[in-house]
């Protein structure tokens, strides 16, 4: 029996992944927005600053944010607006299967975007191949993983807490665009983290992706200890120049790891608490129909046993006052009950044999 359940859940997981993939490829904007914009900006910068040690990994990081957070939010908002989320809620598919399918699909597509951007960078820009050979790949891989985890968690957080599709999209666009311009791609990181504007570097600590992206940048430049003081070739003036970037770690790379980890835990915990409360409320209100039915039966019984007009009037007033006090809770419960009735009816329908 247990093996059958595992097999059934695996089939459901594959089906959900197939649906996600079909929907992703049907919308050309998913491909364009998924990595096209970040790839275009990265290539434009590398044409003029081929030897810059931060641009390639910054472009990959922004591509991860775009696909891992923005496309995730956009994709699931479309599901919610089309009623797909409600239809899935009316099935018996376990919640963890649905979350696992979403996470795996997000990981696979984000990994694909990252590989394409990396191959473009090292194929067409020889200086990036030299930098890649000297990079600290242990730091780069862990940092990019943290960038993806931060992006996915932020996507779940935005989708969970902001039910209005327009507002949630605006928030995800704001986070994505500010990360693009202020964390190393739209403007080079040595321009952003300039000693003359140290106050702006402090403000950027509030950005969720700051810590993980700085880790990836320092790892690709293979300078995770000193604060990234590097000599690179500037193709515009065809001469070497020294750039200085102070990420603010003071040679303590664990501070960046800690910052990225705490960011993921903070937004992830809030999302889990919110989702758990919604699931608990959803299950609890299966009893809501029984409670309202019993209350209504009690009221009908009192009406039948009333012996005078005054008694009926008093019953009506008492009931009306009670409903007024519980108006908000009653409306909310009623909506939940309607959803539960649909769910129960869907489960009671006979299943067609395949």
């Amino acid at each position: 029996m247990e093996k059958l359940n595992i097999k059934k859940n695996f089939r459901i997981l594959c089906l959900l992944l197939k649906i996600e993939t079909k929907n992703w490829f049907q919308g050309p904007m998913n491909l364009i927005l998924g990595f096209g914009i970040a790839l275009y900006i990265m290539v434009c910068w590398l044409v003029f600053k081929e030897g810059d040690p931060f641009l390639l990994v910054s472009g990959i990081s922004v591509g991860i944010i775009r696909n891992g957070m923005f496309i995730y939010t956009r994709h699931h908002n479309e599901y919610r607006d089309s009623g797909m989320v409600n239809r899935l809620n009316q099935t018996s598919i376990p919640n963890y299967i649905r979350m696992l399918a979403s996470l795996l699909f997000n990981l696979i597509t984000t990994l694909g975007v990252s590989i394409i951007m990396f191959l473009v960078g090292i194929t067409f820009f020889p200086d990036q191949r030299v930098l890649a050979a000297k990079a600290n790949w242990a730091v780069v891989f862990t940092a990019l993983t943290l960038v993806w985890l931060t992006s996915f968690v932020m996507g779940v957080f935005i989708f969970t807490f902001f039910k209005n599709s327009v507002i949630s999209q605006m928030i995800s666009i704001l986070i994505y665009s500010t990360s693009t311009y202020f964390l190393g791609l739209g403007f080079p990181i040595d321009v952003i983290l300039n000693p003359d504007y140290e106050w702006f570097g402090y403000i950027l600590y509030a950005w969720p992706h700051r810590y993980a992206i700085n880790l990836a940048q320092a790892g690709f430049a293979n300078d995770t200890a000193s604060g990234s003081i590097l000599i690179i070739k500037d193709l515009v003036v065809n001469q070497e120049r020294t750039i200085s970037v102070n990420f603010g770690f003071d040679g303590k790379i664990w501070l960046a790891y800690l910052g990225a980890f705490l960011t993921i835990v903070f937004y992830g915990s809030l999302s889990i608490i919110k989702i758990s409360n919604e699931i608990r409320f959803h299950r609890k209100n299966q009893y809501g129909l029984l409670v309202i039915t019993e209350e209504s039966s009690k009221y009908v019984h009192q009406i039948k046993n009333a012996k005078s007009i005054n008694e009926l009037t008093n019953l009506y007033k008492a009931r009306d006052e009670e409903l007024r006090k519980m108006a908000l809770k009653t409306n909310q419960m009623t909506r939940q009950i309607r959803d539960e009735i649909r769910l129960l009816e869907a489960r009671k329908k006979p299943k067609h044999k395949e």
Side-chain angles (χ1 to χ4, degrees):
M1 187 66 180
E2 187 175 343
K3 289 183 178 180
L4 290 176
N5 287 334
I6 294 174
K7 187 177 179 180
K8 178 183 176 182
N9 288 336
F10 180 74
R11 288 179 59 191
I12 293 172
L13 177 64
C14 293
L15 179 61
L16 290 176
L17 287 173
K18 183 178 178 181
I19 293 172
E20 295 257 15
T21 304
K22 185 178 180 180
N23 182 71
W24 197 74
F25 279 104
Q26 277 182 343
M29 290 303 291
N30 286 333
L31 299 175
I32 296 172
L33 298 177
F35 66 93
I37 295 176
L39 179 63
Y40 174 77
I41 297 174
M42 182 190 77
V43 170
C44 287
W45 269 117
L46 285 175
V47 168
F48 298 100
K49 295 166 65 69
E50 182 179 340
D52 193 301
F54 304 119
L55 284 174
L56 177 59
V57 75
S58 297
I60 293 173
S61 297
V62 169
I64 292 173
I65 295 174
R66 187 81 186 191
N67 197 80
M69 182 192 68
F70 175 79
I71 297 299
Y72 172 90
T73 308
R74 181 175 179 270
H75 183 63
H76 283 75
N77 277 333
E78 290 176 353
Y79 268 20
R80 182 159 55 192
D81 293 342
S82 65
M84 183 67 175
V85 173
N86 286 333
R87 288 195 291 273
L88 286 174
N89 287 336
Q90 293 174 9
T91 67
S92 58
I93 299 176
N95 290 308
Y96 77 90
I97 293 293
R98 291 167 56 184
M99 179 58 73
L100 181 61
S102 179
L103 187 145
L104 284 176
F105 176 77
N106 192 282
L107 175 60
I108 292 169
T109 53
T110 303
L111 184 61
V113 167
S114 303
I115 291 174
I116 291 173
M117 295 186 72
F118 176 74
L119 290 177
V120 169
I122 65 171
T123 300
F124 297 100
F125 302 99
D127 285 2
Q128 292 298 314
R129 291 199 291 272
V130 176
L131 290 167
K134 299 177 180 179
N136 186 334
W137 283 105
V139 174
V140 173
F141 281 135
T142 55
L144 292 179
T145 301
L146 291 173
V147 173
W148 171 70
L149 282 173
T150 304
S151 302
F152 182 78
V153 167
M154 288 301 302
V156 174
F157 174 82
I158 294 169
F159 179 76
T160 302
F161 279 86
F162 300 94
K163 305 299 184 181
N164 185 292
S165 298
V166 176
I167 294 176
S168 65
Q169 283 298 100
M170 289 176 62
I171 293 173
S172 63
I173 289 173
L174 178 64
I175 295 174
Y176 161 74
S177 59
T178 52
S179 298
T180 299
Y181 287 106
F182 300 136
L183 292 181
L185 184 61
F187 299 105
I189 195 66
D190 58 306
V191 175
I192 295 298
L193 297 182
N194 192 305
D196 295 333
Y197 304 100
E198 191 174 2
W199 56 271
F200 190 64
Y202 290 128
I203 293 176
L204 288 179
Y205 282 121
W207 263 245
H209 298 86
R210 160 79 189 270
Y211 307 95
I213 290 181
N214 284 170
L215 265 175
Q217 291 164 336
F220 195 76
N222 198 14
D223 188 23
T224 58
S226 66
S228 296
I229 299 175
L230 304 152
I231 298 176
I232 65 171
K233 185 177 182 181
D234 191 330
L235 297 183
V236 177
V237 297
N238 197 29
Q239 64 181 8
E240 292 185 342
R241 66 187 179 95
T242 301
I243 62 172
S244 176
V245 179
N246 183 7
F247 292 120
F249 305 152
D250 294 327
K252 301 173 183 176
I253 194 173
W254 62 268
L255 287 174
Y257 278 107
L258 179 63
F261 176 76
L262 291 178
T263 299
I264 294 169
V265 170
F266 176 72
Y267 288 102
S269 299
L270 291 179
S271 301
I272 291 172
I273 291 171
K274 177 70 172 177
I275 293 171
S276 299
N277 287 338
E278 289 180 351
I279 293 174
R280 194 180 303 113
F281 187 77
H282 182 73
R283 290 175 177 172
K284 183 178 69 176
N285 278 291
Q286 287 187 353
Y287 301 99
L289 180 61
L290 176 63
V291 172
I292 290 180
T293 302
E294 288 183 348
E295 288 292 325
S296 300
S297 299
K298 179 181 176 182
Y299 182 57
V300 171
H301 180 71
Q302 289 174 335
I303 291 175
K304 288 180 178 180
N305 292 335
K307 297 179 180 179
S308 65
I309 298 297
N310 289 335
E311 191 173 348
L312 283 173
T313 302
N314 291 334
L315 281 173
Y316 169 76
K317 289 181 178 179
R319 182 66 172 172
D320 184 63
E321 183 66 23
E322 180 182 354
L323 291 177
R324 285 178 183 276
K325 291 180 179 179
M326 300 178 61
L328 294 176
K329 291 184 179 180
T330 301
N331 289 335
Q332 190 177 23
M333 184 177 289
T334 301
R335 288 194 297 269
Q336 292 293 327
I337 287 172
R338 284 201 298 265
D339 291 339
E340 293 298 339
I341 290 175
R342 295 193 190 101
L343 176 60
L344 292 173
E345 288 177 349
R347 288 178 175 175
K348 288 180 181 178
K349 287 183 180 180
K351 296 181 179 179
H352 299 287
K353 294 183 178 180
E354 296 181 358

